[in-house]
Amino acid sequence: MRLSVVIIGYNSRHYLERNLASLHFLLPDPQAEIIYVDNASTDNSVSEVRRLYPRVTVLENRKNAGISVARNQGIRRASGEYVWLLDSDTEASEPALATMLAFMDEHPEAGLCGCKMYGQDGQIQDSCRLFPTIGGKLKAALRIFSRKLRMKASATGLSDGYDVNADRPLEVDYVIGACQLIRKTAQEKVGLLDERIFYGPEDADFCLRMQQAGYRIYYLPQVSIYHAYQRMSSHRIFSKITRKHLQGLMYYFWKHRRYQRRLNIRNSCCRVDNI
């Protein structure tokens, strides 16, 4: 099989309807499969997916197992040469997928790639990023608090990471997990997502391990998809999911502590990552 699409969701029925509709071009393709992993939704997501899209494989969890666990369930089930991880709040593009697949075929050194993404406001998102650092996260947190206090973002003196408007593919540190096209043989060599990370930064960890295994990560700005980008940890600062996110970050920094000094030095002369 050529392609396995893995989508996870938690009470995201309103997004799933558009997400799966945008993948219509893959439904009749015998070389493609779509796997939906549900994290104990209570909004009838599972029944609606099964009713409207009987060709979609549905894996249903009894509790919210987190992003890494759910995506790993889909990856284990996947039989495609490539695995396309998509958030439920994305809307796919056939040209974007075709371009990413062609790029991966032509670049065997690539472990995974992602593409440009537009949000609800029509703005291009920073979907390719520098690896997280403690200093970068503290500065990003300051920016979020500044926005909450209605201060201008420029007052913090911060800016984003890579040039998302580049005119050619970029080799980057990582692309966010909302859209990652992964070479299955590379994933099998690297392993699955780290299930100790419930919600972020499992995508950065996975890409770092890819690079440590000798693969490269690419961002393709010439094609794009839509991403509603409901960043829960940014909107509800003191929520349970924010605590989970911070726990994941602390674990990530401990796990990759040998690389943090080098990354801090490098990132100090680059643009910082977002939280």
Side-chain angles (χ1 to χ4, degrees):
M1 184 172 285
R2 173 74 162 161
L3 177 70
S4 298
V5 183
V6 174
I7 306 160
I8 67 170
Y10 172 68
N11 289 333
S12 53
R13 175 180 167 183
H14 55 301
Y15 289 121
L16 272 171
E17 291 173 354
R18 294 185 177 183
N19 173 273
L20 291 171
S22 73
L23 292 167
H24 65 91
F25 62 94
L26 290 176
L27 291 172
D29 188 347
Q31 290 300 310
E33 64 178 350
I34 300 174
I35 301 167
Y36 171 64
V37 185
D38 187 85
N39 260 335
S41 296
T42 58
D43 62 351
N44 296 320
S45 292
V46 170
S47 60
E48 283 299 290
V49 171
R50 285 176 170 154
R51 182 178 69 86
L52 296 173
Y53 300 97
R55 284 203 63 228
V56 173
T57 299
V58 177
L59 305 179
E60 188 175 3
N61 291 325
R62 294 184 178 181
K63 67 177 182 178
N64 188 347
I67 290 177
S68 296
V69 170
R71 282 186 175 146
N72 284 345
Q73 288 174 291
I75 292 171
R76 290 190 188 97
R77 186 67 174 263
S79 55
E81 178 185 358
Y82 294 105
V83 177
W84 193 16
L85 298 183
L86 283 176
D87 274 1
S88 59
D89 58 357
T90 59
E91 293 178 32
S93 159
E94 187 171 2
L97 175 60
T99 298
M100 288 192 291
L101 285 170
F103 181 88
M104 295 294 286
D105 285 342
E106 295 166 4
H107 295 82
E109 79 281 4
L112 66 85
C113 72
C115 69
K116 183 181 291 183
M117 289 193 281
Y118 288 91
Q120 293 172 308
D121 57 2
Q123 298 297 310
I124 300 171
Q125 299 171 351
D126 57 336
S127 54
C128 57
R129 302 176 180 179
L130 300 168
F131 285 127
T133 63
I134 295 173
K137 288 300 178 183
L138 290 174
K139 291 176 182 177
L142 175 61
R143 176 163 55 184
I144 291 172
F145 276 108
S146 296
R147 288 171 180 168
K148 294 291 182 181
L149 295 173
R150 297 184 179 181
M151 294 170 58
K152 293 182 179 180
S154 59
T156 64
L158 302 178
S159 55
D160 295 325
Y162 294 96
D163 179 9
V164 293
N165 287 310
D167 57 4
R168 60 181 181 223
L170 298 176
E171 184 177 354
V172 298
D173 280 2
Y174 79 103
V175 294
I176 64 173
C179 175
Q180 290 183 339
L181 183 65
I182 303 169
R183 190 182 306 278
K184 192 65 161 66
T185 53
Q187 178 273 308
E188 291 171 343
K189 180 178 179 180
V190 170
L192 295 165
L193 300 177
D194 191 327
E195 296 187 355
R196 295 187 182 184
I197 303 175
F198 184 91
Y199 171 69
E202 79 292 330
D203 44 11
D205 173 80
F206 187 64
C207 288
L208 178 54
R209 288 159 47 211
M210 275 276 184
Q211 293 188 23
Q212 291 171 339
Y215 293 99
R216 295 181 177 181
I217 311 300
Y218 288 97
Y219 168 71
L220 277 57
Q222 65 268 41
V223 288
S224 64
I225 67 171
Y226 172 82
H227 181 210
Y229 197 48
Q230 298 298 298
R231 190 73 173 189
M232 292 177 286
S233 63
S234 295
H235 294 297
R236 298 194 297 272
I237 297 175
F238 301 108
S239 67
K240 180 179 179 181
I241 194 65
T242 299
R243 292 195 299 272
K244 290 282 190 182
H245 180 62
L246 292 175
Q247 289 169 2
L249 281 171
M250 288 187 288
Y251 167 73
Y252 172 90
F253 292 136
W254 175 84
K255 178 180 180 181
H256 299 293
R257 57 194 180 278
R258 294 183 180 180
Y259 298 92
Q260 285 305 305
R261 183 176 181 182
R262 175 175 60 85
L263 290 174
N264 275 314
I265 294 172
R266 187 202 64 177
N267 289 4
S268 66
C269 60
C270 300
R271 288 175 285 184
V272 302
D273 46 339
N274 283 340
I275 196 166

PDB file of all heavy atoms in Angstrom, residues 37-50:
ATOM      1  N   VAL A  37      -8.397   7.527  14.912  1.00  0.00           N
ATOM      2  CA  VAL A  37      -8.253   7.090  16.298  1.00  0.00           C
ATOM      3  C   VAL A  37      -8.978   8.094  17.175  1.00  0.00           C
ATOM      4  O   VAL A  37      -8.627   9.285  17.197  1.00  0.00           O
ATOM      5  CB  VAL A  37      -6.771   6.986  16.711  1.00  0.00           C
ATOM      6  CG1 VAL A  37      -6.660   6.407  18.124  1.00  0.00           C
ATOM      7  CG2 VAL A  37      -5.986   6.128  15.725  1.00  0.00           C
ATOM      8  N   ASP A  38      -9.982   7.623  17.904  1.00  0.00           N
ATOM      9  CA  ASP A  38     -10.785   8.513  18.735  1.00  0.00           C
ATOM     10  C   ASP A  38     -10.395   8.382  20.205  1.00  0.00           C
ATOM     11  O   ASP A  38     -10.332   7.283  20.747  1.00  0.00           O
ATOM     12  CB  ASP A  38     -12.271   8.185  18.582  1.00  0.00           C
ATOM     13  CG  ASP A  38     -13.138   9.207  19.295  1.00  0.00           C
ATOM     14  OD1 ASP A  38     -13.427  10.244  18.677  1.00  0.00           O
ATOM     15  OD2 ASP A  38     -13.496   8.965  20.462  1.00  0.00           O
ATOM     16  N   ASN A  39     -10.136   9.521  20.840  1.00  0.00           N
ATOM     17  CA  ASN A  39      -9.692   9.558  22.237  1.00  0.00           C
ATOM     18  C   ASN A  39     -10.864   9.786  23.190  1.00  0.00           C
ATOM     19  O   ASN A  39     -10.923  10.770  23.923  1.00  0.00           O
ATOM     20  CB  ASN A  39      -8.624  10.638  22.435  1.00  0.00           C
ATOM     21  CG  ASN A  39      -7.222  10.065  22.458  1.00  0.00           C
ATOM     22  OD1 ASN A  39      -7.023   8.894  22.774  1.00  0.00           O
ATOM     23  ND2 ASN A  39      -6.239  10.890  22.126  1.00  0.00           N
ATOM     24  N   ALA A  40     -11.826   8.852  23.164  1.00  0.00           N
ATOM     25  CA  ALA A  40     -12.952   8.865  24.112  1.00  0.00           C
ATOM     26  C   ALA A  40     -13.833  10.097  23.949  1.00  0.00           C
ATOM     27  O   ALA A  40     -14.221  10.744  24.932  1.00  0.00           O
ATOM     28  CB  ALA A  40     -12.449   8.745  25.550  1.00  0.00           C
ATOM     29  N   SER A  41     -14.190  10.431  22.719  1.00  0.00           N
ATOM     30  CA  SER A  41     -15.074  11.559  22.473  1.00  0.00           C
ATOM     31  C   SER A  41     -16.483  11.269  22.982  1.00  0.00           C
ATOM     32  O   SER A  41     -16.921  10.115  23.013  1.00  0.00           O
ATOM     33  CB  SER A  41     -15.136  11.867  20.977  1.00  0.00           C
ATOM     34  OG  SER A  41     -13.884  12.283  20.487  1.00  0.00           O
ATOM     35  N   THR A  42     -17.183  12.324  23.340  1.00  0.00           N
ATOM     36  CA  THR A  42     -18.571  12.202  23.801  1.00  0.00           C
ATOM     37  C   THR A  42     -19.527  12.960  22.883  1.00  0.00           C
ATOM     38  O   THR A  42     -20.673  13.227  23.265  1.00  0.00           O
ATOM     39  CB  THR A  42     -18.702  12.733  25.240  1.00  0.00           C
ATOM     40  OG1 THR A  42     -18.267  14.098  25.285  1.00  0.00           O
ATOM     41  CG2 THR A  42     -17.874  11.909  26.203  1.00  0.00           C
ATOM     42  N   ASP A  43     -19.065  13.329  21.689  1.00  0.00           N
ATOM     43  CA  ASP A  43     -19.875  14.138  20.774  1.00  0.00           C
ATOM     44  C   ASP A  43     -20.341  13.352  19.553  1.00  0.00           C
ATOM     45  O   ASP A  43     -20.650  13.940  18.513  1.00  0.00           O
ATOM     46  CB  ASP A  43     -19.097  15.373  20.329  1.00  0.00           C
ATOM     47  CG  ASP A  43     -17.827  15.005  19.549  1.00  0.00           C
ATOM     48  OD1 ASP A  43     -17.477  13.808  19.500  1.00  0.00           O
ATOM     49  OD2 ASP A  43     -17.197  15.924  18.988  1.00  0.00           O
ATOM     50  N   ASN A  44     -20.378  12.016  19.683  1.00  0.00           N
ATOM     51  CA  ASN A  44     -20.829  11.135  18.595  1.00  0.00           C
ATOM     52  C   ASN A  44     -19.893  11.142  17.390  1.00  0.00           C
ATOM     53  O   ASN A  44     -20.313  10.809  16.274  1.00  0.00           O
ATOM     54  CB  ASN A  44     -22.239  11.503  18.134  1.00  0.00           C
ATOM     55  CG  ASN A  44     -23.273  11.306  19.223  1.00  0.00           C
ATOM     56  OD1 ASN A  44     -23.226  10.330  19.962  1.00  0.00           O
ATOM     57  ND2 ASN A  44     -24.215  12.246  19.327  1.00  0.00           N
ATOM     58  N   SER A  45     -18.641  11.502  17.611  1.00  0.00           N
ATOM     59  CA  SER A  45     -17.676  11.489  16.516  1.00  0.00           C
ATOM     60  C   SER A  45     -17.568  10.113  15.881  1.00  0.00           C
ATOM     61  O   SER A  45     -17.593   9.968  14.652  1.00  0.00           O
ATOM     62  CB  SER A  45     -16.293  11.922  17.022  1.00  0.00           C
ATOM     63  OG  SER A  45     -16.264  13.267  17.405  1.00  0.00           O
ATOM     64  N   VAL A  46     -17.437   9.091  16.715  1.00  0.00           N
ATOM     65  CA  VAL A  46     -17.222   7.733  16.212  1.00  0.00           C
ATOM     66  C   VAL A  46     -18.402   7.261  15.375  1.00  0.00           C
ATOM     67  O   VAL A  46     -18.229   6.735  14.263  1.00  0.00           O
ATOM     68  CB  VAL A  46     -16.960   6.762  17.385  1.00  0.00           C
ATOM     69  CG1 VAL A  46     -16.977   5.317  16.890  1.00  0.00           C
ATOM     70  CG2 VAL A  46     -15.609   7.078  18.022  1.00  0.00           C
ATOM     71  N   SER A  47     -19.612   7.420  15.884  1.00  0.00           N
ATOM     72  CA  SER A  47     -20.782   6.938  15.152  1.00  0.00           C
ATOM     73  C   SER A  47     -20.951   7.670  13.824  1.00  0.00           C
ATOM     74  O   SER A  47     -21.341   7.073  12.815  1.00  0.00           O
ATOM     75  CB  SER A  47     -22.040   7.091  16.010  1.00  0.00           C
ATOM     76  OG  SER A  47     -22.258   8.454  16.356  1.00  0.00           O
ATOM     77  N   GLU A  48     -20.629   8.973  13.803  1.00  0.00           N
ATOM     78  CA  GLU A  48     -20.756   9.738  12.571  1.00  0.00           C
ATOM     79  C   GLU A  48     -19.720   9.325  11.539  1.00  0.00           C
ATOM     80  O   GLU A  48     -20.016   9.228  10.347  1.00  0.00           O
ATOM     81  CB  GLU A  48     -20.645  11.235  12.860  1.00  0.00           C
ATOM     82  CG  GLU A  48     -21.901  11.833  13.450  1.00  0.00           C
ATOM     83  CD  GLU A  48     -23.094  11.691  12.521  1.00  0.00           C
ATOM     84  OE1 GLU A  48     -23.135  12.367  11.473  1.00  0.00           O
ATOM     85  OE2 GLU A  48     -23.984  10.873  12.831  1.00  0.00           O
ATOM     86  N   VAL A  49     -18.488   9.085  11.971  1.00  0.00           N
ATOM     87  CA  VAL A  49     -17.452   8.636  11.041  1.00  0.00           C
ATOM     88  C   VAL A  49     -17.831   7.282  10.457  1.00  0.00           C
ATOM     89  O   VAL A  49     -17.726   7.053   9.241  1.00  0.00           O
ATOM     90  CB  VAL A  49     -16.080   8.566  11.737  1.00  0.00           C
ATOM     91  CG1 VAL A  49     -15.046   7.895  10.830  1.00  0.00           C
ATOM     92  CG2 VAL A  49     -15.600   9.968  12.126  1.00  0.00           C
ATOM     93  N   ARG A  50     -18.285   6.392  11.300  1.00  0.00           N
ATOM     94  CA  ARG A  50     -18.669   5.070  10.817  1.00  0.00           C
ATOM     95  C   ARG A  50     -19.864   5.137   9.864  1.00  0.00           C
ATOM     96  O   ARG A  50     -19.949   4.384   8.893  1.00  0.00           O
ATOM     97  CB  ARG A  50     -18.976   4.163  12.003  1.00  0.00           C
ATOM     98  CG  ARG A  50     -17.715   3.688  12.726  1.00  0.00           C
ATOM     99  CD  ARG A  50     -18.052   2.865  13.941  1.00  0.00           C
ATOM    100  NE  ARG A  50     -16.843   2.236  14.484  1.00  0.00           N
ATOM    101  CZ  ARG A  50     -16.692   1.884  15.755  1.00  0.00           C
ATOM    102  NH1 ARG A  50     -17.680   2.088  16.626  1.00  0.00           N
ATOM    103  NH2 ARG A  50     -15.573   1.310  16.158  1.00  0.00           N
TER     104      ARG A  50
END
